[in-house]
Amino acid sequence: MAVAFIIASGGVLAYAARKLRGTVTPRQTQLFGMVTASIFAAQMLNWPLPGGVSAHFVGGALAAIVLGPYLGALSVALVVAVQALVFADGGVLALGANVWNMAIVQVFGGYAVYRVASAYHESGAIVLAGWASITLAALAAGIQLGLSPAFGSELISVVTVMAGGHAVLGVGEALLTLVGVRLVDRLDAVDSETVEGGVAA
């Protein structure tokens, strides 16, 4: 399973990098650094859940909405990789699965929810995307853990704990996603005013 998810995650990230080739603007590069650093800091805070697992802010929907799904996936993947390789958080063998859950399932899943819901209500779409993205990622992780030898035949129990726990804690992810997106919007507005003021001067 570890090898399969390393290959699958690597393939999706390679495709994302190819789609972005020659299209990333200097502003997107700045946002990439800011969003990636913010997500890295936020992910270091963990809340324990029953059954030996934990929850934390992931930021996949935030990255997808601010950066787009391809650059967002690379942002979260970079965070997960640094945590695993430098801080031993998440483990190297689980890196492929963690990237799949947080940088692919959460980013692309959250972005899909946002795109559909934003036609009706922008802020509601951001909140819904934040909540749905982490719940989908937890569901994927629960299936992977439930099928692993470490948990034997406890698939239903593990999926219930992971998806159920994150569905509740996902409210926090949803609200933080909204705050993060609005903060970036505010910074963009300030930058635009500064540029216009400089041009006018």
Side-chain angles (χ1 to χ4, degrees):
M1 187 178 292
V3 172
F5 278 104
I6 287 174
I7 294 172
S9 297
V12 174
L13 294 178
Y15 176 78
R18 183 176 180 182
K19 292 286 289 185
L20 289 168
R21 186 177 300 166
T23 67
V24 180
T25 65
R27 177 56 179 163
Q28 286 177 309
T29 302
Q30 293 175 346
L31 284 175
F32 179 87
M34 181 180 69
V35 169
T36 303
S38 300
I39 290 174
F40 178 83
Q43 281 197 18
M44 298 301 285
L45 302 174
N46 289 274
W47 294 274
L49 293 176
V53 296
S54 63
H56 58 79
F57 177 75
V58 180
L62 170 63
I65 294 168
V66 173
L67 301 173
Y70 299 119
L71 197 57
L74 294 176
S75 171
V76 178
L78 178 59
V79 170
V80 174
V82 170
Q83 287 182 342
L85 300 175
V86 178
F87 295 94
D89 187 2
V92 175
L93 287 180
L95 180 58
N98 284 333
V99 168
W100 179 267
N101 299 333
M102 291 184 273
I104 296 173
V105 171
Q106 191 181 12
V107 170
F108 287 98
Y111 188 74
V113 171
Y114 169 74
R115 285 296 301 270
V116 172
S118 61
Y120 303 96
H121 192 277
E122 176 69 14
S123 294
I126 296 171
V127 170
L128 183 60
W131 177 84
S133 65
I134 197 167
T135 304
L136 289 171
L139 177 62
I143 293 172
Q144 294 159 2
L145 290 170
L147 293 175
S148 69
F151 285 89
S153 58
E154 300 296 326
L155 174 62
I156 301 300
S157 298
V158 176
V159 169
T160 300
V161 168
M162 285 293 291
H166 282 79
V168 174
L169 293 172
V171 174
E173 176 96 12
L175 296 176
L176 287 172
T177 300
L178 178 62
V179 171
V181 172
R182 291 305 181 218
L183 179 60
V184 172
D185 290 342
R186 187 71 177 269
L187 291 173
D188 278 339
V190 171
D191 287 346
S192 297
E193 291 174 2
T194 302
V195 170
E196 290 175 2
V199 172

